[in-house]
Amino acid sequence: MPEMNLAEIADDLRARGVRALRGPNLWHSAPVVVAEIELGRLAEVSPAQANGFVERLLDALPTLGERDDLAAATTWAEVMEHVAVELHELVGAEVRFSCVAVRAGNDGEDVVAVEYAEEELGIESIHEARSLVRRVLRGEDAEAAAVIDRLAAVYIESHPPPTLTVMLEAARKRGIPIRRTPEDHVVQLGLGCNLRRLDSTMTDRTSVIATDITSDKDRTKRYLDRVGLPVPRGGVAESVDDALRIAEDLGFPVLLKPLDANDGRGISGRIDSLDGVRPAYGIAVAEHPKVVVERYAEGRDHRVVVVDGRVVAVAERVPAHVVGDGKSTIRALAEAENRDPKRDPMSPRATLRPIPIDERTRQFIARSGLDFDSVPAAGETVWLRATANISTGGTAIDRTDEIHPRNAAMCELAAAATGLDVAGMDVLTSDVSVPFDVNGAVFVEVNASPGIRMHTHPDVGTARDVPGAILDMLYPPGSEFAIPILAVTGTNGKTTTTRLISHLFRRSGKRVGYTTTDGVYLDDLLLMEGDLTGPFAANVILAHPRVEVAVLETARGGILRSGLGFEACDVGVVLNVSSDHLGMRGIHTVEQLAEVKGVVATAVKPGGCCVLNADQPLVFAMRERTPGDVVLFSMLGMRGNPAVAQHLAAGRTAAVLEEEDGREWLVLRRGGERTALAAVDEVPLTLGGAARFQIANLLAGIAAAHGCGMEIDRIRDGLLSFVSSAESTPGRMNVLRTARGRVIVDYAHNPAAVAALVEMAGRLDARRRIGVLTMPGDRRDDDLRDLGRAAATLDFVITKEDPRYARGRPAGEVARLIGEGLEAGGLPSDQWEAVLGEPEAVARALELMSDGDVVLIAADDTAAVLAQLRPLVVEE
């Protein structure tokens, strides 16, 4: 294709639906950014056929040439993948996974998935990759350097601060779950009732009163003075005249600093006369309206960290400086020092900060008669800043093993006096190994949320495990930091099984948080109403400090839209996979749908439990994908399913349906051991055994609870006490008794669910069986017809529609297509009718109902249908 044509169609390259999947997902077990790549007319030419494109791209990003996979790229989606990955790595963010997925039925639209170091960086790298490729297609300057600079700034801005970074690394090594949002530096460690919160080294145990005390430097000194700790004398100035008066009263030398500031900002250094007070006051007051004036104390700057009342690290902080070589200027020496990768300001993992070559530094060295162009003698040390803060170019020497025991006790007393759980003491002393009262040391400050990179990565000396000490405080040895997570997925039965498992745990005395298509619950309390089965709802439960067990209904939509709402689960349950929501979000086949549901199986922890339906081949095949121990459930049992028999012969576990002495039993088998839990007809959920699909849900619930270590007697008690009522499981097989007969309300909206409901109705003693059916309009025409076929054995059917779920179809079309399926399945045209409104359809069914009839209602608005029926209920 001629180059001019490429320029004309470059903008046809689009990245649609760019989003972060924050948990395990269809493409990867870790978070990724995904985008659907649209090509338009660009689909007519491959990257290799685009005249000069590859060469121009390599000119823009030469390091791409080091990738063998770029030469093998045959699609524009692959080019996008490689460019996005390269941009990540050029800003220092490692990418360990990326892929291009071709989804069948997507009309040539590919999905690019790229693992990300930071969510915002991942998203921006996709957008920048698209723009860069467009510019190369047009033959324009790719602006690669500017792109890399922008992404580097995004990476730095979104990456956790240095101290929080080392805290998170330590937590990950211990296996502590971490929940973090990109826009917030407050991080959740642990889950549910075992969660703790952390902001750098400030914890949820840090006292607000203590931080209030230590944010006022003068007030802090008063607290220390009250317990006999040495502090420099001084006062607080609210004007320059105040500062001059206090300095005269104290006598020189003095030091000025803001009443509340950090990182050494606004601190003057030594002042020897009144002439120095006025300019120092201007610098300090720019940081805070009140300024501390205090006697200047001699000594080397030491930071002592106390965690939970115990000294855990000591470092001597050395101010920013250069050492002369007899040839180079101070500026050149500082610039050379700043080229050290440890001082790279664009690297989140840098352990030092650049030496500032600015006006403050110029003013400081001018006191010694130097400027940036001065050439120090070989070996001469030139100090560049008065303060030793790491943030202003300082370095650190570990002194932990040298601190005198009395000094350590005094630092621990200082932390106790201010009330901080994690405290950073700034102490000026000539030698930390000599008692403070002997060498005239003073406590200058006590800091909340002290930085700890100087201790974990000192420039000289031994690294100290300060993060470990903080984590030991939050989670003493033997403490739990997680809660059991059980995830339930499948096409049908998810909500009932989720509620059943939750009921089993509640009967066992646990406080349970669970999510369903009805809402988010804490025990029986509805916290939030709505179809909440994705990551948002999972976060509500996992971030609730009273939840002891989490049971999470996990639907396909949430997995595709945002990934799982958790990193891993203790128990994953896959109930079944059947045709539903096909043709949506790139899922066009049942096999693809099984891939999505299988994400739950892959997210089971090693040593956890994966509960699979052995009677469905697509579900049974997931045993190959899970790192957990496989537990099967089966309606066919050992005799009807050879896979179950083989599984048990290997000494493994299965929950099965078995017949004995003419009765059906729910049985748990482990190898050759057999435990009968309950007769099917005794369990309320089965309606005397008529609701066969509920038996499968019960078996899955038994397997899940047993996999989580629940005792058999507690499982049995829960099975016999769980009732599917309008109150406990609204819209899930609610059986209402009226004067004429039974009305069953269920949220059955796909062919498999309707078939199960119709099969159950056939087992009930009834004169006639009347159905009120519908399906959302975004399903395929054939799906609507299949739903009709599934209900064709009923005696009479009313098809209905809810305008809210028409999803673009004209009024009456959903009802008509279901009717076509009814007739194709053998139901005569005079035995079905369309009544579009749901209240009107329910009223029509009740009008047709005679004594002894059963009415099946597939409800859209469950609450409204139940309210409409409630006046007719005589017994539930």
Side-chain angles (χ1 to χ4, degrees):
M1 175 175 286
E3 191 168 340
M4 275 296 294
N5 288 347
L6 285 178
E8 290 174 3
I9 64 175
D11 286 351
D12 282 16
L13 176 66
R14 297 177 182 274
R16 182 172 58 84
V18 182
R19 63 195 182 279
L21 309 185
R22 295 180 176 177
N25 52 78
L26 182 59
W27 293 274
H28 191 39
S29 59
V32 296
V33 168
V34 298
E36 288 87 34
I37 305 302
E38 293 181 347
L39 301 177
R41 294 165 293 173
L42 197 60
E44 299 173 12
V45 59
S46 72
Q49 295 170 326
N51 294 337
F53 168 78
V54 174
E55 291 78 8
R56 292 196 302 275
L57 180 60
L58 290 176
D59 284 343
L61 294 173
T63 50
L64 267 177
E66 301 169 10
R67 295 179 177 274
D68 294 335
D69 46 6
L70 178 64
T74 59
T75 69
W76 293 103
E78 290 173 328
V79 170
M80 282 285 293
E81 174 200 4
H82 300 322
V83 172
V85 170
E86 190 66 17
L87 292 176
H88 261 81
E89 298 195 343
L90 285 171
V91 301
E94 182 185 6
V95 176
R96 293 168 295 181
F97 170 85
S98 65
C99 74
V100 172
V102 181
R103 308 301 296 168
N106 265 20
D107 299 325
E109 186 177 288
D110 294 338
V111 176
V112 170
V114 177
E115 186 184 35
Y116 59 82
E118 294 297 332
E119 182 175 308
E120 189 175 352
L121 173 64
I123 291 172
E124 288 303 313
S125 71
I126 296 289
H127 290 307
E128 292 286 9
R130 175 208 59 205
S131 298
L132 188 149
V133 171
R134 283 179 174 177
R135 286 193 291 271
V136 172
L137 281 168
R138 289 194 291 262
E140 300 171 353
D141 180 1
E143 302 175 7
V147 168
I148 293 166
D149 286 345
R150 285 197 297 271
L151 289 177
V154 169
Y155 188 27
I156 290 292
E157 180 66 24
S158 58
H159 196 279
T163 290
L164 183 55
T165 294
V166 296
M167 287 300 307
L168 297 183
E169 289 172 350
R172 289 189 183 98
K173 288 179 181 177
R174 295 187 179 206
I176 298 174
I178 297 169
R179 300 182 72 79
R180 171 177 165 254
T181 53
E183 65 277 2
D184 194 351
H185 286 156
V186 177
V187 173
Q188 176 183 321
L189 301 180
L191 303 172
C193 62
N194 295 316
L195 73 81
R196 308 305 301 263
R197 290 192 173 89
L198 192 71
D199 184 354
S200 291
T201 54
M202 186 174 293
T203 78
D204 52 16
R205 283 183 47 172
T206 303
S207 162
V208 173
I209 295 175
T211 58
D212 186 53
I213 292 169
T214 54
S215 65
D216 183 324
K217 300 182 191 304
D218 187 64
R219 187 181 180 193
T220 301
K221 288 196 300 180
R222 293 199 302 272
Y223 270 77
L224 299 182
D225 185 56
R226 289 173 192 168
V227 294
L229 296 175
V231 295
R233 292 186 301 113
V236 177
E238 297 189 34
S239 68
V240 68
D241 291 337
D242 284 349
L244 291 167
R245 177 183 53 77
I246 295 170
E248 279 193 297
D249 290 344
L250 291 172
F252 293 94
V254 297
L255 174 146
L256 272 67
K257 60 186 178 183
L259 185 70
D260 182 14
N262 52 29
D263 295 331
R265 296 195 309 272
I267 299 178
S268 67
R270 177 175 175 142
I271 298 173
D272 291 300
S273 67
L274 286 174
D275 291 340
V277 172
R278 192 177 298 275
Y281 180 86
I283 294 171
V285 81
E287 300 292 337
H288 193 277
K290 295 183 179 180
V291 175
V292 174
V293 183
E294 64 186 22
R295 281 283 296 181
Y296 181 82
E298 299 287 351
R300 303 205 300 268
D301 188 324
H302 290 78
R303 166 60 64 83
V304 182
V305 176
V306 175
V307 177
D308 202 20
R310 181 174 60 89
V311 170
V312 297
V314 182
E316 179 184 345
R317 297 188 297 183
V318 181
H321 63 281
V322 294
V323 178
D325 60 6
K327 299 177 293 184
S328 305
T329 65
I330 291 174
R331 182 188 300 276
L333 291 169
E335 289 173 344
E337 183 68 27
N338 284 344
R339 286 193 287 273
D340 185 338
K342 291 190 294 185
R343 293 189 184 273
D344 183 359
M346 302 310 288
S347 171
R349 298 192 172 276
T351 56
L352 296 173
R353 305 305 296 162
I355 293 174
I357 307 173
D358 58 11
E359 179 61 19
R360 292 283 306 282
T361 303
R362 187 199 65 76
Q363 291 176 358
F364 181 79
I365 62 176
R367 298 178 186 180
S368 303
L370 302 171
D371 59 33
F372 286 131
D373 294 325
S374 300
V375 178
E380 178 186 356
T381 298
V382 178
W383 303 102
L384 303 179
R385 281 293 178 111
T387 59
N389 298 76
I390 303 298
S391 60
T392 54
T395 54
I397 303 170
D398 178 64
R399 303 288 189 194
T400 306
D401 293 334
E402 301 172 29
I403 189 169
H404 192 282
R406 281 168 57 188
N407 294 346
M410 293 176 78
C411 291
E412 290 164 0
L413 176 60
T418 54
L420 287 173
D421 59 336
V422 181
M425 254 65 61
D426 290 345
V427 182
L428 293 180
T429 177
S430 58
D431 188 342
V432 77
S433 67
V434 176
F436 291 160
D437 56 351
V438 172
N439 64 7
V442 292
F443 284 80
V444 178
E445 293 182 10
V446 180
N447 298 279
S449 192
I452 58 176
R453 278 291 268 273
M454 72 183 82
H455 306 292
T456 60
H457 298 77
D459 300 283
V460 179
T462 303
R464 302 296 170 173
D465 187 17
V466 181
I470 296 172
L471 294 174
D472 283 342
M473 177 185 70
L474 297 177
Y475 295 105
S479 299
E480 295 288 341
F481 42 71
I483 60 173
I485 298 176
L486 297 91
V488 180
T489 194
T491 302
N492 295 307
K494 297 186 297 295
T495 298
T496 297
T497 304
T498 297
R499 287 181 174 274
L500 168 65
I501 295 171
S502 301
H503 175 79
L504 296 177
F505 277 102
R506 290 203 307 276
R507 296 284 290 193
S508 300
K510 297 292 185 182
R511 176 152 287 179
V512 184
Y514 60 100
T515 64
T516 72
T517 51
D518 304 322
V520 177
Y521 291 81
L522 176 62
D523 290 336
D524 288 324
L525 177 65
L526 177 63
L527 299 178
M528 203 173 296
E529 190 171 4
D531 187 351
L532 296 167
T533 56
F536 170 79
N539 186 65
V540 172
I541 294 302
L542 298 176
H544 198 298
R546 298 177 67 188
V547 171
E548 297 175 311
V549 178
V551 187
L552 308 175
E553 181 178 340
T554 307
R556 54 164 288 288
I559 297 174
L560 291 170
R561 185 171 56 251
S562 306
L564 292 181
F566 46 87
E567 291 183 6
C569 56
D570 299 89
V571 177
V573 181
V574 186
L575 297 170
N576 45 63
V577 179
S578 62
S579 176
D580 193 20
H581 293 90
L582 299 183
M584 302 167 64
R585 286 190 174 269
I587 303 302
H588 298 270
T589 67
V590 177
E591 289 74 18
Q592 288 179 334
L593 185 59
E595 286 185 53
V596 179
K597 303 291 185 182
V599 172
V600 168
T602 64
V604 175
K605 297 175 182 176
C609 169
C610 185
V611 177
L612 300 175
N613 185 342
D615 300 336
Q616 282 206 345
L618 286 174
V619 178
F620 182 61
M622 295 176 193
R623 71 193 186 282
E624 305 294 340
R625 298 176 57 180
T626 183
D629 181 36
V630 174
V631 177
L632 301 179
F633 70 94
S634 171
M635 296 278 286
L636 301 176
M638 295 174 59
R639 296 178 181 177
N641 189 330
V644 175
Q646 184 178 4
H647 183 78
L648 292 171
R652 306 180 82 174
T653 304
V656 295
L657 178 67
E658 294 185 357
E659 186 173 337
E660 183 180 0
D661 299 329
R663 295 182 78 187
E664 291 182 315
W665 290 82
L666 302 173
V667 174
L668 185 68
R669 284 187 174 271
R670 182 174 181 82
E673 298 177 11
R674 179 183 185 275
T675 304
L677 284 93
V680 168
D681 56 9
E682 292 178 344
V683 179
L685 194 62
T686 70
L687 295 185
R692 309 303 291 176
F693 59 93
Q694 296 288 38
I695 297 174
N697 295 336
L698 288 164
L699 292 171
I702 291 167
H706 184 264
C708 228
M710 190 179 296
E711 298 173 359
I712 293 295
D713 287 345
R714 293 190 180 277
I715 297 175
R716 180 181 291 114
D717 170 70
L719 297 176
L720 297 176
S721 58
F722 182 67
V723 178
S724 180
S725 68
E727 288 73 30
S728 65
T729 55
R732 265 62 188 181
M733 251 260 304
N734 305 147
V735 181
L736 309 175
R737 297 186 181 275
T738 71
R740 293 182 181 176
R742 284 169 288 188
V743 179
I744 300 175
V745 180
D746 191 81
Y747 189 76
H749 280 73
N750 59 60
V754 168
L757 199 62
V758 170
E759 193 262 351
M760 179 205 70
R763 291 175 178 270
L764 297 175
D765 183 24
R767 191 180 70 87
R768 283 193 314 165
R769 296 163 182 84
I770 301 170
V772 181
L773 306 176
T774 191
M775 198 175 188
D778 54 4
R779 307 308 197 263
R780 301 172 305 179
D781 289 1
D782 284 346
D783 295 330
L784 294 163
R785 295 187 182 100
D786 286 346
L787 184 135
R789 289 189 186 93
T793 58
L794 294 174
D795 297 299
F796 196 90
V797 174
I798 299 168
T799 61
K800 65 181 176 71
E801 292 179 8
D802 187 322
R804 293 173 298 176
Y805 304 111
R807 312 277 166 83
R809 288 187 183 268
E813 186 171 80
V814 167
R816 177 180 60 77
L817 289 169
I818 293 173
E820 289 179 7
L822 289 168
E823 294 185 19
L827 189 70
S829 59
D830 61 353
Q831 289 180 229
W832 75 274
E833 63 182 71
V835 179
L836 300 189
E838 184 165 72
E840 294 78 10
V842 171
R844 175 59 175 156
L846 296 174
E847 179 186 333
L848 294 171
M849 187 180 186
S850 301
D851 292 344
D853 288 350
V854 169
V855 173
L856 308 175
I857 301 175
D860 283 314
D861 189 340
T862 301
V865 169
L866 291 173
Q868 185 176 354
L869 294 171
R870 194 162 291 120
L872 306 176
V873 174
V874 294
E875 178 186 352
E876 294 195 31

